[in-house]
Amino acid sequence: MSAPVIQESAEALARAVATGDRSATEVTGAFLAQADRTAPQLGTYLHRMAESALRDAEAIDRRRAKGERLGPLAGVPVALKDNICVRGVPTTCGSKILEGYRPPYDAHVVERLRAADAVIVGKTNCDEFAMGSSTENSAYQVTRNPWNLDCVPGGSSGGSAATVAALEAPLSLGSDTGGSVRQPAAFCGVYGLKPTYGAVSRYGLVAFASSLDQIGPFARSARDTALLQSAICGRDSRDTTSRADARPISLDTLERDLTGLRLGVPRAILDEAGEGLAPSIRATFESAISAYERAGASIVDVSLPHARYAIATYYLIAPAEASSNLARYDGVRYGVRRSESDLRGMYEATRGAGFGREVKRRILLGTYALSAGYYDAYYLRAQKVRTLIRKDFLDALALSDALLLPITPTPAFKIAEKSDDPLAMYLSDIFSIPASLAGVPALSFPASFDAAGLPIGLQLVGRPFEEETMLRVARAYENEHDAASRVPAIALADAGGAR
Amino acid sequence: MTKPAMASEAMRAKYEPVIGLEVHAQLKTNTKIFCACATTFGAAPNSQVCPVCLGLPGVLPVLNERAVTFAVMAGLAVGATIHPRSIFARKNYFYPDLPKGYQISQYDRPLCEGGGIEIHAEEVRKRIGLVRIHLEEDAGKSLHPEGKEGVTTTRVDLNRAGVPLIEIVSEPDLRSGVEAYHYLTKLKQILVYLDVCDGNMEEGSLRCDANVSVRPRGQAAFGTRTEIKNLNSFRYVEKAIAYEIDRQIALIESGGSVVQETLLWDSARGVAETLRSKEEAHDYRYFPEPDLLPVDLEAAWVEGLRATLPELPDALRERLVREQGIPEYDAEVLTETRALASYYEEVAARSGQPKLASNWIMTEVNAVRNKTGDSIESFPVRADRLGDLVAMVSNGRVSGKIAKQLFELMLTSPDGPEALVQKHGLLPIEDDAALRALAREVLAANPGPAAEFRAGKEKTFAFLVGQAMKQSRGRAHPEKLQAALRAVLTEEPA
Amino acid sequence: MPIDVSVVRKVAALARLRIEPSEEERYARELGGILGFVEQLQALDVAGIEPTSQVTEGARPALRPDEVRACDAREEALAAAPERDGDYFKVPQVV
Ligand SMILES: [Mg+2]
Ligand SMILES: [Zn+2]
């Protein structure tokens, strides 16, 4: 007797639809029904696409009936973070300034998903323009953590993480600039991959910090993560920073055991979090190390001497790029305009009212860091430190095949707990930001739960374009632990969710 | 700002003007620099736009290969260093015709550096150094109310947004508006020879800003400079610079001092007015464009391009002087455009008369073109027909006078000169008998002068020749006519 | 690193952001806090280190052939404009 549809893996669902054991309509309908029930409580979606999803599913079923061969994600529902453009579908990036905006084109990943016969089910909530670590910076709504509705789902891709955790969709996409996929994945107990910079085209991803942004998958298993990543990666002529080096991942390779694999452990970085590091995280980290030793991996001590400068570096580079990327929201060609009698007034009113506090804070910071007389001391210096941080990772990854480190200093925190202290919020990115600056791939995987029943994730970091290795390492852990297979109460209909 | 007190000659003599120009030239590509939209001039508003050049959320730039090629050609043509790696940067400022809120340009790592342009301004020949040539995108067009009653909105057309530009920055080597005029003329000539820019100022394919300062003669340090914008014709550039030099000199002479500012040239009133002061100067917050890779050029590719460069005006001018033996001045006139030079070379070759060919083009052909405004390409008398005509003049087949008639006829007829000679009976009279007959007629019609000549008054002969030539409608062969006339006068009794 | 409200005003003007006077103090405090935090970078010796502005080494240069491609998104794109005058975008007068 197979599990209910919504608990099945994307891989199994795609196979079932491709072979005709299930219809895409049935699969899509099941997840839509789940979202009907749980999304209102969780605040996962800014815009749902139930009608078009069912239409797409029916089209897929018709094509199968005609004997057509279906793609690798046949009939599999996928949710998209609201900063990924879908033609004709509202795309707000969680910002008032884009209220009602409908892009006239599809993002590259959307084309890829459709080519793989996936079914797009909606646009998920996120921190405004992906700036935040809790999804509390959305101008529209808060999103709740499916494991504890009083907690944040993390951010900025909180909606995409929560929707997969709550079985509203088997797969989703988010974007990761400084940890925005990995951190919410950890908070919600799912997998979250930040691919190598350049592995996935950014065409159609609304820019936050162009040299850091990457679209990444959320899933409930290593294999499903690989399946989705394989569908979206690779060269796109519309993004000259996208790379042919990004190859689809072989699911068979993920099953290979870890004998001979060298796992690098940069222990010193744990001390950077100091008091802030929860004992439950440290304990999970240590037990994972021994688990990997048992699994046949050799543990190598490595160091990332400049990782401690990562937050300072990031909070100069990212806001600087953002201050420029967000200049286009001027009320001239699209978005919400606040009318005034003169142009400058219109600009200032439109942007003053359209952007939220965190976005304004980062625009101010970035503008300051780039302005005359400060560029060398701030932006340029940060770029040089970025060079050192990247070198740290490449050196460590020369001695090892992948690195193991925490992804968050604590499990999910309470809603409103940190929203008044930006710096404290920034400091919680200590483990995710270094890999972002280095441009190397990083994966957050569910490792365990704390006493309060909140998920704890760990992070693997790999060599450029070696996502496969990380997923193989995560898969080995998955085989030994049940962390990934647990489901939050709200996701179970009989538990009546949190009603 | 009212018209400043003119500087006197005496005042002017005390100061040395220092001028540098920044020229923006639109490249003749089919598509924009970062998207596949067409660049056709004069299209309906916002008809040549797409998500990329509209700066929609989520789009990315992709560099146009030909824009790079054209920019490198320009660099090679002026002897600039072509950098193997150059980097795009964002120039951040807000304006409604700048969709992204930044212009993608080049800053500290431009495509080309150095090089220079030889100018020939009146008697002065000098080399104007270049600082750099870099690639960037154009902005759109803002149509302002222009003080129309009640109109308080600006309309924006983004067809031009993203059209590829090269910005050519000169060293402060220019010393007068006239030199600036000649520098621009020469720069345009080079770009048009290269066929990378159409040089059309009316359509904004060439735009110029001028940096002007003055300093007491002999002083090494530069004076405070002002920048003049909105100079949309070469003559305005010359005028505006002369105006600004005088304004600065008069200001200093009256005890004032020049303030660094940006001025806007008002061609209608012939004055430059403050656009923004130094305090209001933009802070562009340049930083490397993360959405584009560095532009890496292989030396072999650059050299390959160098090898395919067309012959440029200076080289062509020197070659014409060398090969055709025509004067420097002629060569300068004939190389104004590549097409005119080719036209000349064909006429010279066909006629075998380089100097005569040059004279005909510089006088007859250009006179007609100045009236009709014809380009040499559209000039009705093609080089083969003019070549034949020049040959006929040189071998005495027709007199200069007949030749001019034939030229006039060719302007409206497709026939060659020889055919026209037949058709209009313009054949020269060379037969001695016919010429003697003509002579007799003339003598009969002018018994007085004839008698005077016979009486030994030699100089009436010229008069009689003139009459005979007139009688023949210029067709009589000059020497043979004189011989025949003299013969009749001496051999035949009155 | 204390930041004066006058700096907040200057930067906000540069970024075309209207900041309510009542908020200036708070932004000044928050910016000061972050700028104080990033001061740690000044301690590092970065002499002779090349800056990293993008992580793309090894990427093959990707240039676009100069061929016009029609855009099917124009109408939809123009329709998104807050104010239009025919096919022009309309903005308040520049004063
Ligand atoms: Mg420029
Ligand atoms: Zn375009």
Side-chain angles (χ1 to χ4, degrees):
Chain A
M1 173 62 208
S2 67
V5 181
I6 59 170
Q7 290 199 39
E8 285 195 19
S9 70
E11 185 184 0
L13 292 169
R15 198 183 309 109
V17 171
T19 56
D21 295 351
R22 291 187 191 279
S23 72
T25 319
E26 174 201 357
V27 172
T28 303
F31 283 99
L32 289 176
Q34 172 79 342
D36 290 341
R37 187 175 65 80
T38 56
Q41 304 167 65
L42 293 171
T44 34
Y45 288 85
L46 287 175
H47 180 79
R48 292 188 58 199
M49 299 164 62
E51 281 178 27
S52 64
L54 285 170
R55 268 203 314 277
D56 294 349
E58 284 157 11
I60 290 166
D61 289 332
R62 276 196 302 276
R63 284 177 39 226
R64 162 129 211 325
K66 280 201 245 115
E68 271 184 55
R69 223 169 139 281
L70 299 180
L73 293 175
V76 178
V78 180
L80 303 176
K81 186 179 184 178
D82 200 37
N83 62 351
I84 296 171
C85 294
V86 180
R87 187 169 192 161
V89 174
T91 300
T92 67
C93 304
S95 181
K96 284 285 176 208
I97 209 163
L98 280 178
E99 190 159 23
Y101 173 69
R102 293 167 185 265
Y105 73 99
D106 282 326
H108 175 75
V109 291
V110 170
E111 293 174 355
R112 286 296 199 84
L113 288 173
R114 295 211 167 113
D117 291 322
V119 173
I120 296 167
V121 292
K123 310 294 297 296
T124 60
N125 194 26
C126 57
D127 287 302
E128 184 175 8
F129 287 105
M131 297 178 188
S133 309
S134 66
T135 311
E136 292 168 287
N137 296 338
S138 165
Y140 297 94
Q141 66 201 36
V142 295
T143 297
R144 299 177 175 278
N145 189 313
W147 296 92
N148 178 340
L149 301 194
D150 299 330
C151 291
V152 301
S156 65
S157 313
S160 287
T163 202
V164 169
L167 310 186
E168 294 170 354
L171 300 173
S172 68
L173 289 178
S175 66
D176 190 312
T177 303
S180 284
V181 164
R182 292 161 288 159
Q183 184 255 19
F187 280 12
C188 293
V190 298
Y191 288 75
L193 171 66
K194 180 202 89 75
T196 311
Y197 185 80
V200 178
S201 169
R202 292 179 292 120
Y203 186 78
L205 169 68
V206 179
F208 159 16
S210 311
S211 76
L212 295 157
D213 297 341
Q214 271 294 288
I215 292 173
F218 288 95
R220 287 174 45 249
S221 73
R223 290 178 67 95
D224 280 3
T225 308
L227 196 65
L228 182 49
Q229 174 63 13
S230 298
I232 62 172
C233 72
R235 171 91 183 131
D236 168 22
S237 62
R238 297 163 300 186
D239 175 2
T240 51
T241 64
S242 70
R243 307 281 289 270
D245 313 64
R247 307 222 164 292
I249 297 157
S250 137
L251 293 180
D252 300 345
T253 330
L254 301 194
E255 303 306 324
R256 297 214 338 253
D257 69 36
L258 301 186
T259 28
L261 182 124
R262 299 167 305 163
L263 189 64
V265 178
R267 265 209 174 71
I269 200 175
L270 272 67
D271 309 331
E272 290 306 323
E275 296 311 294
L277 184 63
S280 59
I281 302 277
R282 185 180 284 274
T284 306
F285 178 70
E286 296 300 343
S287 75
I289 293 172
S290 18
Y292 277 119
E293 264 175 322
R294 285 198 305 278
S298 54
I299 305 303
V300 185
D301 286 321
V302 297
S303 69
L304 304 168
H306 300 92
R308 52 193 302 221
Y309 298 104
I311 295 178
T313 303
Y314 177 88
Y315 279 98
L316 285 171
I317 290 175
E321 291 182 12
S323 70
S324 177
N325 284 330
L326 272 61
R328 70 189 59 198
Y329 306 104
D330 57 8
V332 175
R333 285 144 295 121
Y334 45 81
V336 177
R337 169 188 296 188
R338 296 296 168 114
S339 294
E340 296 232 346
S341 58
D342 73 298
L343 180 73
R344 184 165 185 140
M346 186 277 279
Y347 278 157
E348 294 182 341
T350 295
R351 294 166 57 79
F355 292 135
R357 303 199 90 269
E358 181 63 23
V359 172
K360 282 186 221 167
R361 194 184 293 126
R362 297 202 197 189
I363 290 175
L364 291 173
L365 177 59
T367 305
Y368 181 83
L370 288 175
S371 61
Y374 297 102
Y375 182 88
D376 288 12
Y378 289 112
Y379 188 72
L380 184 60
R381 175 166 280 261
Q383 284 189 322
K384 291 177 177 177
V385 179
R386 184 177 185 180
T387 304
L388 297 171
I389 292 169
R390 173 163 165 87
K391 186 174 181 303
D392 285 355
F393 275 92
L394 297 183
D395 293 349
L397 287 161
L399 304 170
S400 59
D401 303 302
L403 308 180
L404 178 71
L405 54 164
I407 177 62
T408 61
T410 68
F413 47 85
K414 293 264 186 310
I415 290 166
E417 185 180 325
K418 294 189 184 173
S419 47
D420 283 349
D421 184 352
L423 196 49
M425 190 76 91
Y426 297 174
L427 292 174
S428 65
D429 301 337
I430 174 69
F431 298 122
S432 60
I433 281 177
S436 297
L437 291 166
V440 294
L443 173 72
S444 170
F445 67 96
S448 67
F449 288 82
D450 71 359
L454 286 172
I456 290 176
L458 289 176
Q459 175 176 220
L460 291 160
V461 177
R463 297 196 195 99
F465 303 106
E466 290 184 17
E467 281 79 3
E468 193 168 79
T469 308
M470 297 186 304
L471 285 160
R472 179 180 145 221
V473 174
R475 172 68 177 148
Y477 189 95
E478 185 179 80
N479 288 332
E480 307 303 316
H481 303 72
D482 71 335
S485 57
R486 276 211 236 165
V487 171
I490 189 174
L492 302 171
D494 42 46
R499 267 190 246 109
Chain B
M1 187 194 302
T2 54
K3 259 191 184 301
M6 272 306 217
S8 70
E9 273 313 320
M11 288 182 192
R12 288 200 189 102
K14 286 161 57 184
Y15 295 90
E16 178 185 43
V18 177
I19 301 137
L21 296 183
E22 290 175 14
V23 174
H24 287 87
Q26 276 184 6
L27 298 177
K28 263 175 82 176
T29 53
N30 303 323
T31 65
K32 296 185 177 182
I33 184 169
F34 298 124
C35 65
C37 287
T39 55
T40 321
F41 179 81
N46 292 310
S47 60
Q48 290 171 169
V49 295
C50 73
V52 174
C53 56
L54 285 172
L56 299 191
V59 298
L60 298 166
V62 182
L63 183 56
N64 180 337
E65 183 169 28
R66 186 173 277 126
V68 176
T69 306
F70 282 0
V72 171
M73 285 170 71
L76 291 169
V78 297
T81 303
I82 312 300
H83 289 302
R85 166 164 285 195
S86 63
I87 291 175
F88 282 101
R90 292 186 184 179
K91 179 181 184 179
N92 297 281
Y93 67 95
F94 287 87
Y95 206 73
D97 58 23
L98 189 70
K100 301 183 295 300
Y102 55 84
Q103 176 195 32
I104 302 178
S105 180
Q106 294 187 306
Y107 184 52
D108 53 359
R109 302 281 304 271
L111 191 64
C112 316
E113 271 181 290
I117 291 176
E118 288 284 331
I119 65 165
H120 185 181
E122 267 119 50
E123 287 332 295
V124 223
R125 265 196 191 287
K126 64 190 276 192
R127 180 175 182 280
I128 306 305
L130 296 181
V131 178
R132 60 191 277 155
I133 300 178
H134 72 249
L135 259 176
E136 62 185 28
E137 60 181 334
D138 206 342
K141 273 209 174 75
S142 295
L143 294 88
H144 301 294
E146 309 289 355
K148 284 198 224 69
E149 274 319 302
V151 184
T152 57
T153 58
T154 292
R155 295 174 306 156
V156 180
D157 175 9
L158 297 177
N159 283 347
R160 203 181 66 183
V163 168
L165 298 175
I166 46 174
E167 179 175 331
I168 303 135
V169 183
S170 86
E171 295 281 0
D173 291 348
L174 298 156
R175 293 293 174 265
S176 71
V178 175
E179 285 186 15
Y181 176 87
H182 285 277
Y183 166 82
L184 288 169
T185 309
K186 187 61 171 291
L187 176 59
K188 170 182 170 178
Q189 191 184 29
I190 291 169
L191 296 175
V192 172
Y193 263 63
L194 291 169
D195 201 28
V196 301
C197 173
D198 64 23
N200 187 332
M201 271 205 133
E202 297 66 48
E203 295 180 1
S205 323
L206 267 185
R207 303 193 286 273
C208 177
D209 302 335
N211 291 306
V212 180
S213 67
V214 299
R215 61 183 170 191
R217 296 209 174 273
Q219 177 184 305
F222 291 136
T224 307
R225 64 177 177 78
T226 59
E227 182 183 22
I228 319 174
K229 291 188 169 294
N230 194 34
L231 301 171
N232 39 33
S233 95
F234 291 3
R235 284 300 169 197
Y236 290 160
V237 176
E238 183 179 349
K239 272 221 200 101
I241 289 172
Y243 165 93
E244 179 59 10
I245 291 169
D246 268 15
R247 187 190 69 90
Q248 291 186 11
I249 291 174
L251 185 60
I252 296 167
E253 283 289 307
S254 63
S257 59
V258 178
V259 292
Q260 189 178 331
E261 60 183 347
T262 303
L263 307 168
L264 203 63
W265 177 248
D266 180 333
S267 51
R269 294 163 46 223
V271 297
E273 299 187 316
T274 303
L275 177 66
R276 68 181 98 86
S277 72
K278 185 164 184 267
E279 291 65 41
E280 308 159 59
H282 294 117
D283 178 350
Y284 291 121
R285 291 158 287 138
Y286 282 96
F287 72 100
E289 167 58 275
D291 288 333
L292 286 164
L293 301 177
V295 182
D296 290 331
L297 303 177
E298 286 172 12
W301 180 82
V302 174
E303 288 317 305
L305 206 54
R306 189 195 301 276
T308 65
L309 285 189
E311 188 176 29
L312 294 168
D314 290 346
L316 181 53
R317 195 185 67 243
E318 285 155 23
R319 184 167 63 77
L320 291 186
V321 170
R322 198 172 60 248
E323 292 179 357
Q324 308 285 6
I326 55 172
E328 184 79 27
Y329 173 78
D330 293 34
E332 189 132 2
V333 174
L334 295 171
T335 52
E336 183 201 354
T337 67
R338 174 69 249 189
L340 180 62
S342 311
Y343 182 88
Y344 163 72
E345 289 189 284
E346 201 181 329
V347 174
R350 197 168 174 109
S351 64
Q353 296 294 322
K355 178 53 180 158
L356 193 54
S358 160
N359 295 348
W360 270 84
I361 294 170
M362 293 198 300
T363 53
E364 307 306 323
V365 174
N366 281 356
V368 174
R369 286 174 57 215
N370 291 341
K371 269 197 242 81
T372 61
D374 277 333
S375 71
I376 194 66
E377 291 90 335
S378 61
F379 189 67
V381 182
R382 306 311 307 148
D384 53 353
R385 293 198 292 156
L386 184 61
D388 293 343
L389 181 62
V390 170
M392 288 164 73
V393 175
S394 67
N395 64 27
R397 175 79 168 131
V398 295
S399 66
K401 201 152 178 294
I402 294 292
K404 288 195 172 48
Q405 292 179 41
L406 290 168
F407 182 74
E408 290 298 324
L409 290 167
M410 285 196 286
L411 289 172
T412 53
S413 145
D415 300 333
E418 188 56 48
L420 290 168
V421 161
Q422 306 297 346
K423 199 163 169 186
H424 298 268
L426 293 171
L427 215 52
I429 307 167
E430 299 181 336
D431 166 60
D432 187 53
L435 290 168
R436 281 172 186 250
L438 173 65
R440 290 189 194 94
E441 275 180 54
V442 172
L443 295 179
N446 301 278
E452 285 175 19
F453 178 81
R454 290 203 173 88
K457 196 159 179 217
E458 177 65 30
K459 65 180 178 32
T460 46
F461 184 70
F463 169 78
L464 292 167
V465 172
Q467 293 302 305
M469 192 50 92
K470 196 152 161 234
Q471 183 76 17
S472 76
R473 306 204 330 280
R475 295 159 55 212
H477 187 286
E479 290 73 28
K480 291 181 176 157
L481 169 66
Q482 290 191 34
L485 185 60
R486 200 171 282 279
V488 172
L489 279 164
T490 48
E491 296 161 20
E492 300 177 14
Chain C
M1 184 177 153
I3 287 288
D4 190 87
V5 292
S6 67
V7 175
V8 172
R9 292 195 192 109
K10 183 174 158 295
V11 177
L14 203 50
R16 300 294 188 269
L17 281 178
R18 182 163 298 163
I19 302 289
E20 297 310 320
S22 59
E23 299 237 288
E24 287 170 342
E25 271 299 340
R26 180 172 173 184
Y27 279 110
R29 204 170 55 248
E30 290 169 346
L31 282 195
I34 299 159
L35 289 170
F37 174 76
V38 302
E39 277 302 304
Q40 61 183 271
L41 297 187
Q42 305 304 325
L44 263 176
D45 175 16
V46 292
I49 308 290
E50 277 298 306
T52 296
S53 54
Q54 49 182 185
V55 182
T56 53
E57 64 264 33
R60 267 180 285 98
L63 295 163
R64 185 175 52 78
D66 186 28
E67 293 153 13
V68 176
R69 254 188 291 102
C71 166
D72 68 348
R74 176 183 172 271
E75 295 308 323
E76 271 169 87
L78 296 192
E83 255 196 290
R84 279 169 68 177
D85 178 347
D87 278 345
Y88 289 100
F89 295 105
K90 199 166 149 191
V91 298
Q93 189 167 5
V94 185
V95 289

